[in-house]
Amino acid sequence: MKTTALSIFALLASAGTAMAQTNGDIIFTDTVNGPSGTSSNFVKWWQTGGGGVNTIFTYANSQDPLQFNRPTTRLSDLTFGPNGSVFVGNGPSQVGNGTTNTVGNIFRIDNPFSGAATSSTLVTGGDVQNPIGLWYDTAKQRLVYTNNPTEGPLAGQNKGVYAMDNGGATTRLFAEPPIAAGLPRPANNAFVVPSPQGNGDYYVVSTNGGKFLVPQGSLPANRNFSSQVYRFGFGANPAPDSGTYSLTVDFADIGPTLASGNLPAPLDAFTNPFGDGTLPQVLTDVRGITTGPSGNLFVTDQLTGGIYEITLNGVGGYGSIRTVTTGLSSPEAIAYDPYSNTLVFAEHTGPSGPRIARINLDGSGLSTVVADVWVRGIRIVPTPGAAALIGLGGLVALRRRRA
């Protein structure tokens, strides 16, 4: 398997860091499975303009003999932190072994572009059993991350959204409700992105837990629930469980607006719960999320192999949905590149995958950026959220100079 990485914003870097990156560069994580449960994990940097791919940091092969020799390192998302650092999540595929809490971690890479990057472990276990989505909140000086343990004895424990301060202390901001709470409910949180409205809130993907629930049948595991997007907020000095969570869209409620006709296979296998002979339009495996140029959101859905655009209304609620493309092979992490006005995303399988690919906002121009990489986190240099710090006019000027 391979994992993803992210990009950095030059203006956030420390003065002592060698800054050779260019607007539109990509940083990502890459994980390669080896024999006997070993894995090689890398944080890499793709340079625009023909600079190629460079390795920022390599995490050593390791395996857990108590977990069927599964690898103890499987990098997930990443995000830029203070002083030009990069936070990286580690969520092994088997979480917990009955004798230890977990083998999950959050790492910090310092001086990532210097050619002499160093990595330290900020948190191990406890509240980081399987961190998936990460984003650093520069205003609140907190790393926001989702924790989603799904295997082993700790499956279902400590699920939710967390914040970590710069010293590595974690606070649970929102706990995933039990299934007994009824549907819809947040379940299996994935990626997270700041609100494009600039109000300090976030949008979080909940891969499962929606109100559309049908018999498992021949569907892959956990894909008989509709996915959701929630709006999430928290204060500058958050107390435990003080985060706010509100439903933006349940992808069982999108109606026939995605496409005409039948759903892409294998959603045709769904049993229509209403018994009227129609196939409802629904998405059940949404993973990645990013903000677009017009204050909208883009999400990936692995089961349909699709990328979809969500338009928000004036108060940040759901407005409409549009299909960008379908037929991809397990797309997951996604980021908007303002310098090429394209979507950059990870594709895990298929005839062209695994890879990082690029596509125009209208669904045209699909192309490979980096081949043979298994990615779960992507950031653009500089990140669109950080670029907002220099103002829209400054970003437009940068884009004009690159034209």
Side-chain angles (χ1 to χ4, degrees):
M1 270 191 178
K2 299 187 172 179
T3 335
T4 55
L6 51 133
S7 22
I8 184 162
F9 185 29
L11 297 183
L12 299 180
S14 64
T17 301
M19 303 304 294
Q21 65 269 38
T22 302
N23 295 335
D25 287 358
I26 302 170
I27 64 171
F28 60 95
T29 58
D30 181 16
T31 299
V32 183
N33 276 343
S36 302
T38 61
S39 67
S40 301
N41 287 257
F42 310 93
V43 175
K44 294 182 177 180
W45 167 27
W46 175 83
Q47 294 180 279
T48 188
V53 177
N54 303 280
T55 297
I56 292 175
F57 197 85
T58 301
Y59 290 89
N61 286 337
S62 58
Q63 57 184 358
D64 184 352
L66 298 179
Q67 285 300 307
F68 313 107
N69 291 327
R70 292 193 182 191
T72 59
T73 305
R74 186 181 65 134
L75 300 182
S76 55
D77 200 9
L78 46 85
T79 189
F80 288 107
N83 301 316
S85 63
V86 173
F87 291 121
V88 185
N90 172 37
S93 56
Q94 184 74 17
V95 182
N97 56 30
T99 59
T100 61
N101 284 338
T102 182
V103 288
N105 314 92
I106 290 177
F107 303 118
R108 173 174 168 153
I109 298 177
D110 287 297
N111 301 316
F113 299 101
S114 66
T118 59
S119 177
S120 57
T121 302
L122 293 176
V123 187
T124 297
D127 295 335
V128 289
Q129 296 142 352
N130 187 24
I132 296 181
L134 285 75
W135 197 282
Y136 185 71
D137 191 313
T138 56
K140 298 171 186 174
Q141 296 288 292
R142 295 288 195 280
L143 173 68
V144 180
Y145 69 93
T146 59
N147 188 45
N148 185 32
T150 58
E151 297 181 287
L154 295 178
Q157 297 183 27
N158 296 352
K159 283 188 166 189
V161 182
Y162 288 75
M164 184 187 75
D165 66 21
N166 293 335
T170 60
T171 301
R172 187 181 70 186
L173 301 177
F174 182 83
E176 179 179 309
I179 195 168
L183 301 177
R185 68 181 182 96
N188 296 335
N189 288 318
F191 289 84
V192 57
V193 69
S195 168
Q197 297 174 322
N199 53 18
D201 285 350
Y202 288 81
Y203 287 94
V204 183
V205 170
S206 187
T207 300
N208 303 128
K211 64 185 180 183
F212 183 77
L213 175 63
V214 299
Q216 186 73 53
S218 60
L219 291 170
N222 297 321
R223 291 178 175 177
N224 57 332
F225 280 96
S226 53
S227 300
Q228 305 155 93
V229 171
Y230 284 85
R231 186 169 177 169
F232 169 72
F234 66 102
N237 295 294
D241 298 312
S242 62
T244 60
Y245 230 67
S246 60
L247 179 64
T248 299
V249 58
D250 186 325
F251 289 104
D253 292 331
I254 57 179
T257 58
L258 272 181
S260 60
N262 292 344
L263 292 171
L267 287 184
D268 288 332
F270 272 140
T271 300
N272 178 12
F274 308 107
D276 61 3
T278 63
L279 290 169
Q281 304 290 340
V282 61
L283 299 177
T284 65
D285 200 8
V286 176
R287 303 291 185 95
I289 187 169
T290 190
T291 57
S294 303
N296 44 12
L297 304 172
F298 290 89
V299 298
T300 59
D301 179 73
Q302 289 203 334
L303 192 57
T304 63
I307 298 176
Y308 305 93
E309 180 182 13
I310 300 171
T311 301
L312 301 174
N313 60 28
V315 294
Y318 174 75
S320 62
I321 190 167
R322 176 183 71 89
T323 300
V324 176
T325 190
T326 57
L328 302 171
S329 298
S330 298
E332 189 174 33
I334 187 171
Y336 171 66
D337 178 359
Y339 301 100
S340 61
N341 195 32
T342 61
L343 298 169
V344 178
F345 63 95
E347 195 174 14
H348 286 172
T349 59
S352 301
R355 64 174 177 169
I356 295 176
R358 187 188 301 275
I359 196 169
N360 294 324
L361 302 186
D362 63 2
S364 66
L366 177 64
S367 63
T368 297
V369 179
V370 184
D372 195 29
V373 287
W374 206 96
V375 173
R376 296 178 67 211
I378 296 171
R379 293 293 182 266
I380 308 298
V381 179
T383 65
L389 296 175
I390 62 175
L392 179 60
L395 180 58
V396 171
L398 286 172
R399 292 183 66 178
R400 285 175 177 167
R401 285 197 293 269
R402 285 180 54 84

